[in-house]
Amino acid sequence: MRTTGIEKAASVYLALEAVAVLALSTWEMLALISGDSASVPSSIALLVLTVIAAAAVAAFAVVVWRGGSWGRSGGIVVQLLILAVAAGTLTGPDADGSIALAIAAPAVVGLALLIAASRAAGPRTRLETAADEDEV
């Protein structure tokens, strides 16, 4: 199965996001080691969940590269979760629109790439399905 250029671009973008989440887990680990956390068990739990998230986003990137639809779906969910975090920064006493924009902008780019990849994969999938039906 040959993937399109936009699918590969979406995959690379997801891989970059996985690296960013892994960098976040490194930052969390350094904060834990330096004693900059109020609750060690909570910090460890957050660290574990962040590493799992990085692995999931990396898996989505691999599957999108290979043309699998569940990777695109998972990637879209990730982008929507990032947008939810960005919206959350607009509330509360420390609300900051510039931080929200900095978080939301990459998610919008990722969402656009993944939707375009889904649209590009449709014709290929229909052709493969038709070819499989002809073999039967």
Side-chain angles (χ1 to χ4, degrees), residues 14-103:
L14 280 171
L16 290 173
E17 287 183 334
V19 169
V21 175
L22 199 56
L24 178 63
S25 69
T26 303
W27 178 61
E28 291 172 356
M29 175 70 83
L30 292 174
L32 181 63
I33 291 170
S34 69
D36 191 25
S37 64
S39 171
V40 172
S42 292
S43 295
I44 292 171
L46 182 61
L47 177 62
V48 169
L49 289 174
T50 306
V51 170
I52 291 170
V57 176
F60 296 151
V62 169
V63 172
V64 170
W65 184 271
R66 293 180 178 172
S69 66
W70 70 267
R72 292 187 304 270
S73 301
I76 288 171
V77 169
V78 168
Q79 305 314 307
L80 294 176
L81 289 172
I82 294 170
L83 287 172
V85 170
T89 63
L90 293 173
T91 62
D94 297 328
D96 189 351
S98 60
I99 292 175
L101 184 60
I103 294 171

